[in-house]
Amino acid sequence: MIWLLLLAGAIAAMIRYLLDRSLPATHDLAQGLFTGWPRGILLANILGSFALGVVLGYARSHQLDLTHENFVHTIPAADRLWLLASGVCGSLTTASTLFVGFRLIYEVNKARAIVYLCSTFVIAGGAGALGWLMTR
């Protein structure tokens, strides 16, 4: 089971990396407040939060307990959901990457960095809530 968790996390980390490389931060001054935002990381956080909302909403609607204390390895559906929640969503939405982006923007423009950080929490949080509500 652990090797599947590691594999899921590694795959999600590669997806996050590819998103970051394919949607790099732009430095076009015409974008104003959004200049320098790491768009790939923002997208990874939104997608991972949405997926986590779907997983948690599905688990709740099917009365599956994904908490570590009550985690039962004999329930295949709970195993798969736990792998998705911990491995894929956890690796796709890393706080460390978010804060590295924040720090890089902060060095150039403090207000832009704060807007980026707050926007990420609001948008990704909203995506997670939307995913959870869709499974009810």
Side-chain angles (χ1 to χ4, degrees):
M1 184 68 168
I2 291 297
W3 68 271
L4 284 175
L5 180 66
L6 294 173
L7 180 63
I11 290 170
M14 284 188 270
I15 292 170
R16 181 175 22 90
Y17 175 79
L18 292 173
L19 284 171
D20 187 37
R21 290 293 167 215
S22 64
L23 296 169
T26 59
H27 299 288
D28 181 7
L29 293 177
Q31 288 188 335
L33 191 60
F34 307 109
T35 301
W37 281 28
R39 298 175 300 158
I41 298 305
L42 179 62
L43 181 61
N45 285 325
I46 293 168
L47 292 174
S49 296
F50 177 78
L52 183 59
V54 169
V55 167
L56 295 178
Y58 180 86
R60 183 167 188 241
S61 67
H62 289 80
Q63 298 177 346
L64 298 172
D65 190 357
L66 300 182
T67 59
H68 181 67
E69 299 84 28
N70 299 320
F71 186 64
V72 180
H73 294 283
T74 58
I75 304 173
D79 282 351
R80 288 190 297 272
L81 290 176
W82 187 76
L83 281 171
L84 283 172
S86 296
V88 176
C89 299
S91 186
L92 191 59
T93 61
T94 60
S96 60
T97 309
L98 171 66
F99 288 109
V100 166
F102 170 76
R103 172 94 162 79
L104 292 173
I105 299 169
Y106 190 83
E107 291 175 1
V108 177
N109 186 309
K110 291 178 174 87
R112 192 177 300 144
I114 292 169
V115 170
Y116 166 71
L117 189 64
C118 292
S119 297
T120 299
F121 284 125
V122 169
I123 295 168
L130 178 64
W132 186 77
L133 289 172
M134 287 177 58
T135 58
R136 293 192 70 190

